[in-house]
Amino acid sequence: MPPRLIVVSGPSGVGKSSIVEAVRDRTGAGFSVSATTRPPRSGERDGVDYHFVGDDEFDALVAEDRLLEWAVYGGHRYGTLRREVEALLGEGRDVILDIENEGAKQVKERFPEAVAIFVLPPSLAELERRLRRRGDTPGEEIARRLELAAAQMAEAPRVYDHIVVNDVLDAAVDEVVAILGASDASARASESHRSTSPC
Ligand code: 5GP
């Protein structure tokens, strides 16, 4: 069974990083360290949380086609490094990408077999509460993020294979783990069908 590329995306503040962290713990899937032009936050380590790069370095990554996808978020560029993903897949491990919506769409277009999961808030009102509680997003930016979230939620069924509501974190994690288990089982079934089928 070949290892899989798994994409988890969702609106800002929905809690996808917490879900991805817990799913990785439970499944052993690998984490691909992205490149970004955003400056490190306190406590973040280069090469662990992100590869923090300058604009010129990011330009070179794009020009040399070393990114699987990239997008601009909050005025900074973020991209998935091919070498990170290939190294993990080469070890036979599934790879989970925690990326924003534009990048997720690029991955799904290029790799239709990727398992794409969109995390929904229970409601836009709850998403607004979470963004305010987090305290790192200015008021006018909250309104913009909520508008963006509504647009992403509307198109999500066309882009993603699975939609998971993050109401209670543990339940959302269980659901993602179950989705990955089921997609693993169905891939195994179609593989064994192919290997026994005469054509
Ligand atoms: P933060 O700056 O808070 O770490 O991340 C901001 C947003 O960028 C999050 O939605 C995160 O999922 C997304 N992100 C992180 N790495 C990548 C990446 O490699 N590609 C894309 N497209 N988005 C990313």
Side-chain angles (χ1 to χ4, degrees):
M1 196 16 234
R4 295 161 302 174
L5 191 53
I6 299 152
V7 178
V8 177
S9 193
S12 168
V14 78
K16 62 185 191 294
S17 306
S18 312
I19 293 178
V20 165
E21 209 177 299
V23 169
R24 283 179 48 222
D25 280 351
R26 293 224 344 229
T27 62
F31 176 66
S32 156
V33 181
S34 291
T36 184
T37 58
R38 132 162 120 57
R41 297 187 187 123
S42 100
E44 284 184 332
R45 284 172 301 159
D46 189 31
V48 176
D49 300 289
Y50 282 103
H51 297 286
F52 294 100
V53 299
D55 273 320
D56 291 350
E57 217 176 321
F58 202 97
D59 287 343
L61 292 173
V62 174
E64 291 161 15
D65 196 26
R66 286 163 62 190
L67 299 176
L68 275 186
E69 60 71 37
W70 69 274
V72 177
Y73 181 92
H76 300 292
R77 288 183 287 173
Y78 295 80
T80 303
L81 288 157
R82 286 183 193 281
R83 64 154 199 263
E84 292 270 339
V85 172
E86 282 164 7
L88 290 161
L89 294 175
E91 289 168 15
R93 293 172 71 191
D94 286 344
V95 182
I96 302 195
L97 305 179
D98 166 356
I99 61 180
E100 55 67 62
N101 187 52
E102 291 307 315
K105 289 199 276 192
Q106 293 173 38
V107 172
K108 198 57 192 164
E109 267 161 32
R110 286 178 201 168
F111 306 96
E113 70 283 8
V115 183
I117 300 171
F118 190 79
V119 183
L120 270 186
S123 65
L124 280 175
E126 172 58 20
L127 185 64
E128 180 172 359
R129 264 193 295 278
R130 288 182 193 177
L131 283 170
R132 292 197 188 284
R133 206 182 314 132
R134 217 164 65 169
D136 62 355
T137 317
E140 67 280 7
E141 179 61 17
I142 289 185
R144 208 186 63 79
R145 296 223 174 150
L146 288 173
E147 233 172 76
L148 197 63
Q152 289 177 9
M153 286 157 64
E155 73 169 4
R158 272 183 286 119
V159 177
Y160 294 85
D161 305 300
H162 305 275
I163 309 257
V164 170
V165 178
N166 184 18
D167 189 358
V168 176
L169 177 65
D170 287 348
V173 171
D174 285 348
E175 202 177 329
V176 173
V177 170
I179 287 168
L180 296 181
S183 100
D184 196 19
S186 81
R188 275 180 212 285
S190 73
E191 189 138 288
S192 86
H193 174 72
R194 266 202 306 278
S195 62
T196 54
S197 140
C199 44

